Amino acid sequence: MASLVTGPSLVESYLQHIHSSCYAGGGGELADYIPELAQVDPNRFGLSLALHDGYVYSIADADIGFTIQSVSKPLTYALALTHKGFDAVDERIGVEPSGEAFNEISVDSRRRPRNPMINAGAILSASLLLETQPDVDKAFTELLEFYSACAGRQLALDADVYASEMRTGARNRAIAYMLQSFGMLRAAPEDAIDLYFRQCSLIVTTDDLATIGGTLANGGVNPRTGRRAVGQAVVQRVLSVMTTCGMYDGAGDWVTTVGLPAKSGVGGGIMAVLPGQLGIGVYSPLLDEHGNSVRGVSACKRLSSDLGLHMFNVARESRVTIRSFYSAREIDIVSDRSDHERRYLNGQRDRIRIYELQGDLTFSGTESVLRRLRAAVAEFDVAILDMSRVDHVDQVSRSMFSGASENINGAARTAVIVDPDGVVVRRNAHVAEPSPGAEYVVTTMREAITRAEDFLLKVAVDRT
């Protein structure tokens, strides 16, 4: 099981593959209308996944800080909903897709910003916070605490980017004064702009974005700290608006091809959420015509397609995927062995560990099982995965289980899958070639124990 001990996990290897394949080509431009953003390294590319239990996978430039920019908009909207209530916010900010660029001066027939994910709606969201706390510094302190609670660590301001935005933000100022003229923005426009630029200038990493996404995926509870950062009803509203409006005028293509609530920023970040399962954070500063990260969009499309993450790819995910686990000493199965072999095997039965799985397995549940195996590798020589109570395994999970068997086999450890109903390896008499991983799959626990004992006997002979 060398790969489960010293090398990258299956998920890490896959993410490295995604990173490499999406890095080359694609084009894009830096956001040069904010001078500080035009100076960043265009070759940066980080990727993170935060699972529902708080575990985070980080690839490449995942530790590089960048400004959150418009990925902040769902969070400030969430804070405004929390403070002002749904009805009060809905009176002044709509929830309909605009079909326009992020910085369009866009309002509906009631003169409300069309949604909180474009600049007009985000500036108004910030102004709503100032109606509760008129002092900009104190309002920003509260906003920073909220963002930090969602990220699971203390965030900080990039003073240079903030100053750059304050110097060059004429268009956003025009939007603020327009909203004031319509009677929608009731705080001082300059204060609203100040708070908005501060929120956009907070420094994050892809780990932070993935964790914030994981907090939203977890119904508002930060998966790393276990503390609630935002109410569940607010999360439902925010995710709904992110789904339809989060990727600006590219939202329709995003929903059909990626199918995840998401928000992008001109700093090159993208945060995506699979409710109930995981958050994704991506950073690459080269942008497409919509203001979305070119490599980030490409990586998210690959992740969604390969891992079956589209939110309408419905499966009955069982959060408690491992029903139970125990050693072979606890089951009464005796194979046909010589007296000498039986004496040896009786002393080795604790080195055979059986994991009973249950439910419908998708990427998130399968990843959790394989990570648990990786953590427990020193405790067994043979892992038996009992799929007798599993109803369905999606294609990506099928590949992951087969890959895990191949990685374990031949490194003084092995894995056997008990698959009586063919949920992992489909048995089809009309298929000439066996499915990948089929050599590690049996149909009964007795066969699995026999294979496990054969392996232990072989290892004992090899050691002599």
Side-chain angles (χ1 to χ4, degrees), residues 77 80-81 84-95 108 110 112-114 116 124 128 184 237 241:
Y77 181 56
L81 289 168
K84 303 288 285 186
F86 284 47
D87 291 341
V89 174
D90 290 346
E91 280 293 316
R92 286 190 273 169
I93 304 176
V95 293
D108 61 18
R110 296 166 56 183
R112 301 177 304 173
R114 292 188 184 276
L124 192 46
L128 292 173
M184 291 295 169
R237 167 64 74 87
V241 178

Side-chain angles (χ1 to χ4, degrees), residues 12 15 47-51 53-59 62 206-208 210-211 223-224 279 367 371:
E12 289 167 331
L15 293 179
L47 173 62
S48 302
L49 257 65
L51 282 301
D53 60 0
Y55 190 87
V56 178
Y57 290 99
S58 304
I59 299 298
T206 59
D207 279 3
D208 294 327
T211 302
R224 304 193 80 172
E367 180 279 332
R371 177 154 42 93

Side-chain angles (χ1 to χ4, degrees), residues 41 54 57 94 180 197 221 274 295 416:
D41 184 350
Y57 290 99
Q180 183 193 46
F197 285 154
V221 176
L274 179 57
R295 293 182 182 128
V416 183

